[in-house]
């Protein structure tokens, strides 16, 4: 194995000489490669939609898309208005003006519903009349009182359009299902029968335009007697997008600033700053170029990629440049210094890139699409960064004019970093047994706390407490019994199957049952279906008598009443049934809560439908189901991805070191920071969500970088001297220096996420940065201690 490693290192030296001799040809080839990748950047898109968390072939997404095609988009914008009495004449006048202005100014609107145009079904003799609640604007107090009575006694209005106490009313904005991008208006639209509509669903950008217009329009209406709250899953998605845009700009700025600072401190050369920055920029842009080329959009978890690529890229450059400058000072021969640097660090850089990429590729099988994207494109970006470092850094070193600062005749200056590294080497080799004992104790305590970690996917709580969208959603959850919809699609499998009175009565009983369900913070605030329209119509056609608010027993009568409703001019049945009356949409309004908490709740609902609808096919879908499915997918794939990462990284560690026993032991300093970080999460009750579950995969990939560089250099110096203590000392003064700088850059690259407005991103940055610091401490203390103990009988002085 030693012979193989030596041959590989010699190959890298020869590569350095060839690159130096053909530097301009190599530069042209690299420019063409990079230009080809970067040419794809204009295709890059941003997708913050909740359905974007699922793969296109996920059955939950397939069901959801089929649901949207049939019944329209269920992601609503809810404008809730609070007042002492929403039936005050002045309030209603203001509400009507706001309703009309929203209808006029908000783009991509399919339908707006409020008390102004709420469905009011009544009968006059044998005539069924479906009109707006405020079709005739109330003038007298008696008329206003009648409107209030009618609204507060209508079961369909309660907790959908008006609160039980009459102090909150809502304007429900339903946006278009399909995007207008590339869509040409056809005057025959709506007159041709079609089983499906081709086109892209409403985009994140169009959703944001609609929500932004709502905010702008409502702003001037706000006052003490007209408090406006805006919520709904569409509004929450818009806020997430805004935070991501702002946070990514902040992250990149801070990451660049920290990189420039540390590079200058370490090298004190312009070339030592410019070259790594060029590698960082092309690596960062190339990663997003690959995403664009493969049609992958930037999503919530993928916003971590810039800091990841920036931090890793600078690490590779630092290790190569530190050896180059050291050799160049002593030899004054640039070609020899480049070849020596590649021979010394080329293999270690490749191995660190492969292991880091392996840690990320292990999550590329995740059932959560953006997490899989982080794995695929993060891993690919790191491999590209490695390629640019191995090829492009030597090219730039060869072309740029760099003074050698020849130090052959000068004693090397002892810096504070040298003294620090020497002290670490003395301590870690002088007290190996106590160091290992304390380390294993800390690891043991951490393992005890790991089972205390809870899963969570509470997207609302990711926002700051004072954030307006969180305040609005929490208020409406409480006052209006929910802000999110879940749909049960009941498929009879036959045309006109929904005319069956027995089935409709079962559906009505189901709605009543669902409204009694409550499990901790989860409940069904409202449940309704086509049966609501049918009962309203039946009552209206029977002299408006309340005892006829029921399902008729005769299928023909049901068909006639629904036909009369459709002929009244209302299109409300489209929200609840398909054109063949074979499928029904039963809607449940639920609070926007932790998706994990819905697991048991949805299980109860599924159990009810399985029991009561044995002859029908029932599919649960809607945004609530999508959110739950996302977290369930993440939890199921997490353990698998962790296992893959551990196996692959262990294999490469054994391959690099060449000995199974030492290779396995070297995994201890790799796993220690991960175990301790997970223990910290359990101790401080930090939930494992879509972001924090990435910490282990990313951190183990980054932690192993330092271990590889330490082991690679230790092995080289130990083979030369046979003295483990001396080998550790030399390793600390070569690789240890670069490890310190790269770890500082890496950790700061993630600690900047603490500045994020969304606390899930903030906690991710804190935990990942902490894991990287722990990884450095492991390689400064646990790795040397292990090597001294393992090699105690092999000439240690």
């Amino acid at each position: 194995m030693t012979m193989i490693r030596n041959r590989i290192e010699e190959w890298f030296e020869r590569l350095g000489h060839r690159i130096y001799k053909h530097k301009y040809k190599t530069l042209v080839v690299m420019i063409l490669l990079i230009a080809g990748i970067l040419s794809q950047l204009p295709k890059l898109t941003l997708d913050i939609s909740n359905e974007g968390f699922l793969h296109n072939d996920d059955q939950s997404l397939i069901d959801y898309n089929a649901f949207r095609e049939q019944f329209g988009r269920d992601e609503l914008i809810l404008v809730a208005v609070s007042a002492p009495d929403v039936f005050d004449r002045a309030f209603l006048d203001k509400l009507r003006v706001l309703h009309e202005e929203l209808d006029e100014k908000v783009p991509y609107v399919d339908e707006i519903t409020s008390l102004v145009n709420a469905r009011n079904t009544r009968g006059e003799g044998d005539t069924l009349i479906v009109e707006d609640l405020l079709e005739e604007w109330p003038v007298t107090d008696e008329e206003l009182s009648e409107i209030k009575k009618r609204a507060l006694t209508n079961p369909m209005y309660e907790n959908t359009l008006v609160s039980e106490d009459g102090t909150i009313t809502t304007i429900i904005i339903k946006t278009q299902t399909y995007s207008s991008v590339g869509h040409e208006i056809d005057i025959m639209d709506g007159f041709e029968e079609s089983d499906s509509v081709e086109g892209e669903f409403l985009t994140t950008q169009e959703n944001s335009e609609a929500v932004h217009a709502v905010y702008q329009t409502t702003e001037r209406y706000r006052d003490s007697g007209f408090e406006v709250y805006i919520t709904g899953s569409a509004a929450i998605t818009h806020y997430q997008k805004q935070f991501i845009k702002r946070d990514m700009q902040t992250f990149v700025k801070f990451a660049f600033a920290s990189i420039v600072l540390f590079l200058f401190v370490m090298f004190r050369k312009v070339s030592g700053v410019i070259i790594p920055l060029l590698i960082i920029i092309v690596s960062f842009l190339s990663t997003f170029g690959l995403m664009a080329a493969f049609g992958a959009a930037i999503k919530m978890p993928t916003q971590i990629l810039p800091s990841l690529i920036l931090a890793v890229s600078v690490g590779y450059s630092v290790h190569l440049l530190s050896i180059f400058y050291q050799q160049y000072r002593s030899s004054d021969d640039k070609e020899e210094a480049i070849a020596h640097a590649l021979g010394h660090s080329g293999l270690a850089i490749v191995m660190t890139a492969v292991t880091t990429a392996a840690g990320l590729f292990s999550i590329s099988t995740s059932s959560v699409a953006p997490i899989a994207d982080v794995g695929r494109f993060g891993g690919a970006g790191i491999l590209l960064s490695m390629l640019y470092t191995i090829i492009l850094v030597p090219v730039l070193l060869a072309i740029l004019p760099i003074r050698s600062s020849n130090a052959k005749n000068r004693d090397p200056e002892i810096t504070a970093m040298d003294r620090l590294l020497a002290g670490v080497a003395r301590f870690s080799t002088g007290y190996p047994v106590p160091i290992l004992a304390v380390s294993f104790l800390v690891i043991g305590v951490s393992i005890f706390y790991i089972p205390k970690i809870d899963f969570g996917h509470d997207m609302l709580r990711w926002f700051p407490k004072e954030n307006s969208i969180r305040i609005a959603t929490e208020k409406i959850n409480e006052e209006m019994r929910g802000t999110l919809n879940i749909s049960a699609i009941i498929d009879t499998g036959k045309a006109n199957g929904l005319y069956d009175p027995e089935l409709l009565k079962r559906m009505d009983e189901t709605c009543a049952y669902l409204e009694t369900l409550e499990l901790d913070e989860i409940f069904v605030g409202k449940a309704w279906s086509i049966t609501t329209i049918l009962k309203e119509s039946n009552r209206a056609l029977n002299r408006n008598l309340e005892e006829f608010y029921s399902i008729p027993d005769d299928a023909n009568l049901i068909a006639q009443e629904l036909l009369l409703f459709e002929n009244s001019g209302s299109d409300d049945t489209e929200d609840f049934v398909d054109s063949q009356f074979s499928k029904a949409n039963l809607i449940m309004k639920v609070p926007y809560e932790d998706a994990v908490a819905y697991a048991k709740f949805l299980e109860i609902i599924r159990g009810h439908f399985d029991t009561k609808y044995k002859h029908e096919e029932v599919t649960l879908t809607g945004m609530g189901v999508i959110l739950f499915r996302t977290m369930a997918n993440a939890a199921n794939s997490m353990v698998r991805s962790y296992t893959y990462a551990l196996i692959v990284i262990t294999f490469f560690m054994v391959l690099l070191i060449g000995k199974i026993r030492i290779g396995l032991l070297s995994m201890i300093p790799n796993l220690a920071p991960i175990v301790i970080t997970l223990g910290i999460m359990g101790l401080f009750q930090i939930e494992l969500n879509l972001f924090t579950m990435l910490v282990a995969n990313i951190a183990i990939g980054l932690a192993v970088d330092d271990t590889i560089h330490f082991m690679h250099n230790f092995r080289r110096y130990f083979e030369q001297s046979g003295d483990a203590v001396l080998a550790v000392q030399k390793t600390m003064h070569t690789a240890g220096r670069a490890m310190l700088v790269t770890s500082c850059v890496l950790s700061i690259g993630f600690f900047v996420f603490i500045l994020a407005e969304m606390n899930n991103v903030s906690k991710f940055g804190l935990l990942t940065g902490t894991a990287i610091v722990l990884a450095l401490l492991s390689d400064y203390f646990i790795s040397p201690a292990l090597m001294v103990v393992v090699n105690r009988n092999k000439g240690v002085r």
Side-chain angles (χ1 to χ4, degrees):
M1 187 62 71
T2 300
M3 184 181 300
I4 294 174
R5 284 199 305 268
N6 290 337
R7 287 180 178 177
I8 294 174
E9 290 172 356
E10 290 172 1
W11 181 86
F12 274 109
E13 282 196 33
R14 292 195 298 272
L15 175 65
H17 287 294
R18 283 197 293 270
I19 290 174
Y20 185 86
K21 288 181 171 60
H22 304 284
K23 47 186 172 288
Y24 292 107
K25 292 180 182 178
T26 306
L27 180 62
V28 170
V29 171
M30 293 303 296
I31 289 174
L32 292 175
L33 171 64
I34 294 168
I37 297 174
L38 301 194
S39 67
Q40 302 299 308
L41 281 174
K43 300 178 183 177
L44 191 63
T45 58
L46 179 64
D47 178 11
I48 313 300
S49 64
N50 291 306
E51 60 269 26
F53 281 103
L54 301 179
H55 291 288
N56 291 333
D57 59 354
D58 191 293
Q59 189 58 49
S60 294
L61 183 56
I62 293 171
D63 292 339
Y64 183 58
N65 286 339
F67 160 76
R68 289 192 290 180
E69 289 172 358
Q70 180 62 62
F71 298 107
R73 195 166 186 254
D74 72 328
E75 288 198 83
L76 307 174
I77 305 172
L78 301 179
V79 180
V81 186
S82 175
D85 181 7
V86 300
F87 294 99
D88 175 77
R89 184 177 286 104
F91 178 89
L92 288 176
D93 287 340
K94 192 171 184 178
L95 182 70
R96 177 171 62 174
V97 175
L98 175 58
H99 178 114
E100 292 171 351
E101 189 171 350
L102 286 170
D103 195 22
E104 177 186 347
K105 293 186 176 180
V106 178
Y108 316 115
V109 169
D110 179 40
E111 183 179 49
I112 294 184
T113 306
S114 72
L115 286 175
V116 174
N117 66 339
R119 185 179 71 240
N120 181 42
T121 307
R122 61 185 180 87
E124 288 186 2
D126 294 332
T127 304
L128 180 67
I129 299 174
V130 182
E131 61 186 5
D132 294 344
L133 174 65
L134 295 174
E135 185 88 17
E136 298 293 334
W137 204 255
V139 177
T140 67
D141 291 342
E142 290 76 13
E143 290 173 337
L144 187 62
S145 179
E146 176 60 26
I147 291 292
K148 181 175 181 178
K149 178 182 176 182
R150 197 182 305 169
L152 292 178
T153 56
N154 189 320
M156 195 55 233
Y157 294 178
E158 184 182 327
N159 290 327
T160 54
L161 291 175
V162 64
S163 62
E164 297 176 22
D165 61 1
T167 60
I168 295 178
T169 186
T170 58
I171 301 175
I172 302 172
I173 302 174
K174 182 179 180 181
T175 50
Q176 297 169 0
T177 303
Y178 294 96
S179 170
S180 62
V181 176
H183 177 69
E184 296 181 2
I185 298 176
D186 188 344
I187 60 172
M188 297 302 293
D189 278 354
F191 291 90
E192 299 178 1
E193 291 290 332
S194 177
D195 294 330
S196 63
V197 182
E198 298 293 335
E200 181 184 357
F201 291 112
L202 194 77
T203 65
T204 303
Q205 177 59 34
E206 290 170 326
N207 178 81
S208 287
E209 289 174 24
V211 176
H212 182 66
V214 171
Y215 273 94
Q216 283 191 317
T217 303
T218 58
E219 190 59 37
R220 68 185 183 87
Y221 288 86
R222 299 171 186 265
D223 61 42
S224 58
F226 202 90
E227 297 181 43
V228 179
Y229 301 89
I230 299 174
T231 182
S233 57
I236 292 173
T237 297
H238 166 72
Y239 256 98
Q240 290 170 345
K241 177 182 176 181
Q242 300 310 305
F243 282 159
I244 286 178
K245 282 185 173 181
R246 288 199 297 266
D247 287 346
M248 282 187 68
Q249 292 174 357
T250 301
F251 301 158
V252 172
K253 288 177 183 177
F254 272 87
F256 263 101
S258 63
I259 287 169
V260 170
L261 175 63
F262 279 98
L263 288 175
F264 181 76
V265 169
M266 182 171 187
F267 296 123
R268 299 188 183 275
K269 291 178 179 290
V270 174
S271 60
V273 175
I274 292 177
I275 292 176
L277 286 181
L278 286 174
I279 300 300
I280 289 167
I281 291 170
V282 295
S283 299
F284 163 61
L285 294 177
S286 294
T287 301
F288 283 105
L290 285 179
M291 289 182 65
F294 286 92
I298 297 176
K299 300 176 183 178
M300 280 191 68
T302 52
Q303 67 176 303
I304 70 172
L305 282 177
S307 288
L308 174 63
I309 299 300
L310 292 178
V312 171
S313 297
V314 74
Y316 299 155
S317 298
V318 164
H319 279 284
L320 192 62
L321 288 174
S322 62
I323 300 300
F324 166 78
Y325 287 128
Q326 186 181 60
Q327 180 67 22
Y328 195 30
R329 282 195 301 269
S330 62
S331 68
D332 202 20
D333 185 332
K334 183 184 286 188
E335 180 179 352
E336 185 60 35
I338 291 173
H340 175 78
L342 269 182
H344 184 280
S345 299
L347 175 59
I349 290 172
V350 170
M351 294 298 289
T352 55
V354 170
T355 51
T356 303
L360 288 165
F361 284 142
S362 67
I363 59 176
S364 63
T365 59
S366 174
S367 301
V368 181
I371 290 182
D373 287 344
V374 170
R376 283 194 293 267
F377 296 106
I382 283 168
L383 293 180
L384 278 176
S385 178
M386 176 267 293
L387 176 66
Y388 296 155
T389 302
I390 295 295
I391 304 297
L392 200 52
V393 169
V395 167
L396 295 173
L397 288 173
I399 293 174
L400 294 176
I402 301 172
R403 290 186 299 177
S404 67
S405 301
N406 192 294
K408 284 184 178 180
N409 301 317
R410 297 201 309 265
D411 292 330
E413 181 183 353
I414 304 299
T415 65
M417 184 181 293
D418 292 324
R419 289 191 291 271
L420 171 65
L421 295 173
V424 170
R426 284 195 303 272
F427 183 80
S428 60
T429 57
Y431 305 95
V433 175
I435 287 173
L436 293 177
V438 171
S439 299
F440 287 125
L441 176 62
V442 173
I443 291 171
V445 172
S446 299
I447 291 173
F448 171 79
Y449 280 103
I450 289 176
K452 300 181 183 297
I453 299 175
D454 290 325
F455 284 95
H457 186 67
D458 194 346
M459 297 176 68
L460 185 62
R461 303 302 186 277
W462 293 352
F463 291 103
K465 289 183 179 180
E466 65 279 4
N467 179 263
S468 62
I469 194 72
R470 177 171 173 176
I471 292 172
T473 306
E474 290 175 341
K475 183 175 180 64
I476 304 309
N477 274 344
E478 181 180 353
E479 301 288 345
M480 300 290 285
R481 303 278 292 168
T483 54
L484 191 67
N485 288 346
I486 293 175
S487 287
I489 307 304
I490 302 171
D491 187 355
T492 65
K494 57 184 178 183
N496 300 325
L498 292 175
Y499 293 150
D500 180 1
E502 189 276 331
L503 171 60
L504 290 171
K505 288 180 180 181
R506 269 190 286 140
M507 290 171 58
D508 200 40
E509 291 169 358
T510 292
C511 289
Y513 163 75
L514 290 171
E515 289 181 356
T516 67
L517 281 184
E518 190 161 346
L519 186 65
D520 297 326
E521 300 296 321
I522 311 299
F523 54 81
V524 175
K526 195 79 174 178
W528 67 101
S529 70
I530 188 64
T531 60
T532 304
I533 291 176
L534 181 58
K535 289 190 293 183
E536 288 178 359
S537 300
N538 191 53
R539 178 180 59 188
L541 293 169
N542 285 276
R543 303 186 305 282
N544 300 309
L545 295 175
E546 197 61 37
E547 58 262 33
F548 287 95
Y549 188 74
S550 60
I551 307 294
D553 294 323
D554 183 77
N556 291 326
L557 181 58
I558 290 171
Q560 290 172 13
E561 290 187 351
L562 289 175
L563 179 61
L564 286 172
F565 182 87
E566 289 183 304
N567 289 339
S568 71
S570 174
D571 60 359
D572 286 2
T573 55
E574 294 178 0
D575 295 333
F576 300 102
V577 297
D578 66 344
S579 60
Q580 301 297 312
F581 277 81
S582 63
K583 296 179 182 177
N585 176 22
L586 191 154
I587 304 171
M588 296 159 266
K589 188 170 76 160
V590 296
Y592 205 110
E593 291 287 346
D594 191 336
V596 174
Y598 273 98
K600 181 66 175 177
F601 194 74
L602 289 177
E603 199 175 298
I604 294 172
I605 294 175
R606 284 195 181 96
H608 172 82
F609 281 106
D610 289 344
T611 302
K612 298 292 185 180
Y613 297 82
K614 294 182 179 179
H615 302 294
E616 294 82 24
E617 182 180 340
V618 180
T619 303
L620 290 182
T621 187
M623 191 46 57
V625 175
I626 292 292
L627 291 173
F628 166 71
R629 179 64 177 169
T630 296
M631 196 59 208
N633 285 350
N636 291 335
S637 60
M638 182 191 69
V639 175
R640 181 176 67 246
S641 66
Y642 284 1
T643 303
Y644 289 164
L646 182 61
I647 292 172
V648 171
I649 290 173
T650 302
F651 170 76
F652 280 111
M653 289 301 298
V654 172
L655 186 66
L656 175 68
I657 294 172
K659 295 180 180 179
I660 295 177
R661 184 168 69 100
I662 298 180
L664 293 175
L665 285 174
S666 69
M667 288 303 296
I668 295 175
N670 287 327
L671 294 177
I674 310 304
V675 172
I676 296 172
T677 301
L678 291 174
I680 291 172
M681 291 179 64
L683 175 63
F684 292 100
Q685 297 182 325
I686 300 174
E687 69 176 19
L688 198 63
N689 56 44
L690 286 180
F691 279 75
T692 54
M693 68 173 50
L694 292 173
V695 171
N697 293 88
I698 293 174
I700 194 171
L702 297 176
V704 78
D705 285 8
D706 283 348
T707 305
I708 286 177
H709 282 289
F710 179 89
M711 292 298 179
H712 178 71
N713 282 271
F714 174 83
R715 184 264 313 165
R716 174 193 294 268
Y717 297 128
F718 184 72
E719 287 177 356
Q720 293 173 357
S721 66
D723 187 332
V725 173
L726 182 60
V728 167
Q729 291 172 350
K730 288 187 175 182
T731 299
M732 283 295 176
H733 286 286
T734 51
R737 183 187 301 272
M739 286 161 55
L740 178 60
V741 173
T742 55
S743 293
C744 288
V745 172
L746 284 168
S747 60
I748 290 175
F750 285 97
F751 279 138
V752 295
F753 283 102
I754 296 174
L755 302 173
E757 295 183 76
M758 298 184 72
N759 64 61
N760 61 314
V761 180
S762 178
K763 289 176 182 176
F764 164 79
L766 175 63
L767 291 169
T768 307
T770 299
I772 292 170
V773 172
L774 291 171
L776 177 66
L777 295 176
S778 292
D779 283 311
Y780 269 11
F781 297 102
I782 298 178
S783 293
L786 280 172
M787 292 303 98
V788 169
V789 170
V790 169
N791 296 286
R792 191 180 294 278
N793 299 319
K794 298 181 181 180
V796 177
R797 288 197 289 242

